[in-house]
Amino acid sequence: MAGVVALFSTLALNLLCLAMAFDHSPLQDFCVFDANSPGCKNPGTVTADDFFYSGLHLPANTSNPYRAGLKAARIPGMNGQGLTLARLDFLPDGLIPPHYHPRAAEILTVLEGSLEVGFVKSYPNYKHYGKVLNKGDVYVVPVGLVHYQRGVGNANTVVLSAVNSQNAGIVEVAAGIFGAKPVIDSNYLANAFRLNKGIVEQLQSKCWS
Ligand SMILES: *[C@@H]1O[C@H](CO)[C@@H](O)[C@H](O)[C@H]1NC(C)=O
């Protein structure tokens, strides 16, 4: 019974956090990020270039074990607008490990190639909603749910990803557990994941960051 109460308290807390998770509405037309001062750039000196970025025609760096890369459009004028935009590149079989964004939903548009994407609904039934997307297809991943992406087919895959937060946050599921520092007790993890302790320690010894 205590366990059930604790579980529901946690759920209630999660709901509370979700209710407060979205970016605040701006109280001014814009607040252009200024690297040289803590506040907004003086509006009198703001120009069109403060809302501009060029570079998403160039691929992200995919020279890593996952064979996938992310390149964000960094635009000073996006500050405070509750948005982030990025290009994702996948070599064939390139992938982004399972992760979630605590503060944003994500919308994915396939520009080239094919992408397998899926997310998992929360407790209690963990239903998996997965799909293979082709050029021109769009998919939404709801806020806070575990999801994954993988390039499929023989060609490279290019995806435009937008999230409705300036700081969506990324929690990689495996890294967030097995890469935690200081380490989470391996006996606990072995029991929690129903794994052999040796496998847990092997996972913990990998480089996750
Ligand atoms: C791509 O990433 C790898 C691994 O981090 C790095 O060694 C390499 O210099 C990067 N390439 C470019 C063009 O930035």
Side-chain angles (χ1 to χ4, degrees), residues 23 84 100-105 143 163-171:
D23 293 10
T84 305
Y100 64 91
H101 305 292
R103 294 177 289 276
V143 60
V163 296
N164 63 335
S165 172
Q166 180 167 342
N167 188 15
I170 301 175
V171 181

Side-chain angles (χ1 to χ4, degrees), residues 2-3 22 39 45-47 49 53 59 63 89 136 149-150 159-160 188:
F22 299 100
T45 67
V46 167
T47 69
D49 280 345
Y53 172 87
S63 301
D89 284 85
Q149 290 114 305
R150 172 166 62 170
V159 177
L160 203 56
Y188 164 78

Side-chain angles (χ1 to χ4, degrees), residues 73-142:
R74 301 196 184 284
I75 307 175
M78 244 164 129
N79 183 41
Q81 301 299 321
L83 292 170
T84 305
L85 183 72
R87 170 181 171 143
L88 310 177
D89 284 85
F90 302 80
L91 300 180
D93 280 330
L95 63 86
I96 297 178
H99 64 283
Y100 64 91
H101 305 292
R103 294 177 289 276
E106 179 170 10
I107 186 161
L108 301 160
T109 305
V110 177
L111 302 179
E112 296 292 341
S114 299
L115 183 78
E116 181 186 9
V117 56
F119 65 86
V120 179
K121 196 177 176 307
S122 61
Y123 175 90
N125 56 10
Y126 302 112
K127 185 169 178 186
H128 170 204
Y129 301 82
K131 202 162 169 64
V132 173
L133 310 180
N134 298 305
K135 187 169 178 167
D137 293 351
V138 182
Y139 203 68
V140 171
V141 177

Side-chain angles (χ1 to χ4, degrees), residues 61-64:
N61 188 342
T62 50
S63 301
N64 58 63

